[in-house]
Amino acid sequence: MDPVKQFGFTALPRDPKTILNGKDNVHSPQPVLVKDIVVPSTALAKAIQQYAKAELAEETFNHSMRVYFYGKAILQQQFPDWDVTDETYFLTCLLHDIGTTKKNLRATLMSFEFFGGLLALDLLEKQHKAPKEQAESVAEAIIRHQDIGETGKITTIGQIIQLATIFDNMGGHAALVHHDTIVDVVKHYPRNKWSSCFAATIREENGLKPWAHTTALGEEDFPNGVLNNKLMQPFE
């Protein structure tokens, strides 16, 4: 099988307005519950989920799981023809914020997404013997998951994790997921004041590394946007 398709490298426009044809959504979302979405149960998926649960704060782990379920709901209802395997997307979700742990923020001068991508590449390919192309897909998506913009292209995995993280973090692209889906996902993976937690992490990294890539999203605009996530306010 073509590894470009198999592991989510197919190029898509980076600008979400382009993939949505300037609309709020492709189809009106319908409720999708956690029980309706398959969570990968391969040995690799289980091992990385266990690793993520041990390494990440509970708030970050829950966010990572919400990103998986929101992304799957978006894929199923808005973009069912995109080439994304559940396992590769699941691995990306679990590891996309691995660079934000207290230990990892201080282990490097690199921005958290870049260091997180390198950690994921090593963890998957060298330690768990995942296919090289799969490990690279996950790493690239992690490195670029905050690479928001209107020009150029991005991988399919990169685009879906951007959509899902912006949805959970800032309430962006609100029309892509049904309200009942949010209610059910948050019931299984509570936010536990995620907005204030993540905003504090943004400011922590920017304080430690004033050059951090996160500053490209706005040194105040980004954390303030996270704190003012009106879509998720009722679930905090």
Side-chain angles (χ1 to χ4, degrees):
M1 188 174 181
D2 178 5
V4 170
K5 288 188 174 183
Q6 183 179 3
F7 297 120
F9 272 106
T10 301
L12 293 173
R14 187 166 56 133
D15 187 354
K17 293 193 295 292
T18 302
I19 61 172
L20 291 167
N21 296 314
K23 300 177 182 178
D24 291 335
N25 51 43
V26 180
H27 307 287
S28 294
Q30 301 301 312
V32 182
L33 304 182
V34 167
K35 68 178 180 63
D36 301 323
I37 294 174
V38 174
V39 175
S41 58
T42 61
L44 177 61
K46 287 181 176 179
I48 300 306
Q49 186 174 25
Q50 185 177 9
Y51 169 85
K53 197 162 190 176
E55 292 291 322
L56 298 172
E58 181 182 4
E59 295 87 348
T60 312
F61 178 79
N62 284 0
H63 161 67
S64 301
M65 292 300 294
R66 290 194 303 273
V67 167
Y68 177 73
F69 286 104
Y70 293 145
K72 282 293 295 176
I74 293 168
L75 284 167
Q76 287 177 12
Q77 298 193 352
Q78 308 297 329
F79 309 108
D81 57 338
W82 283 7
D83 295 314
V84 177
T85 62
D86 289 350
E87 183 185 65
T88 305
Y89 180 55
F90 187 54
L91 299 174
T92 304
C93 293
L94 290 171
L95 297 173
H96 81 280
D97 277 344
I98 195 65
T100 66
T101 67
K102 295 288 185 185
K103 176 179 68 176
N104 289 336
L105 273 181
R106 290 160 176 78
T108 179
L109 294 177
M110 296 173 69
S111 299
F112 89 87
E113 316 100 295
F114 297 88
F115 188 57
L118 296 181
L119 287 174
L121 188 66
D122 179 82
L123 178 70
L124 294 171
E125 185 180 2
K126 293 185 180 177
Q127 297 182 43
H128 289 278
K129 309 304 179 188
K132 177 176 181 287
E133 297 88 350
Q134 183 180 40
E136 290 174 345
S137 176
V138 172
E140 169 129 349
I142 292 171
I143 289 167
R144 295 192 65 188
H145 83 270
Q146 292 197 141
D147 182 23
I148 312 300
E150 299 179 349
T151 59
K153 301 288 180 66
I154 193 168
T155 69
T156 303
I157 292 282
Q159 180 58 264
I160 190 59
I161 199 164
Q162 281 194 3
L163 292 173
T165 53
I166 291 169
F167 181 81
D168 194 52
N169 286 336
M170 302 184 76
H173 314 299
L176 295 180
V177 178
H178 195 279
H179 176 80
D180 291 353
T181 302
I182 301 173
V183 171
D184 193 58
V185 170
V186 171
K187 182 174 72 175
H188 285 81
Y189 298 98
R191 290 182 65 83
N192 295 334
K193 299 185 178 178
W194 171 246
S195 293
S196 57
C197 175
F198 185 48
T201 300
I202 295 167
R203 291 198 165 109
E204 182 181 15
E205 184 188 32
N206 290 350
L208 290 168
K209 306 167 191 178
W211 55 84
H213 180 252
T214 299
T215 61
L217 299 174
E219 292 180 63
E220 290 301 324
D221 287 349
F222 186 32
N224 287 338
V226 169
L227 288 171
N228 294 318
N229 183 349
K230 291 184 169 48
L231 181 66
M232 299 300 175
Q233 248 172 16
F235 305 102
E236 286 296 317

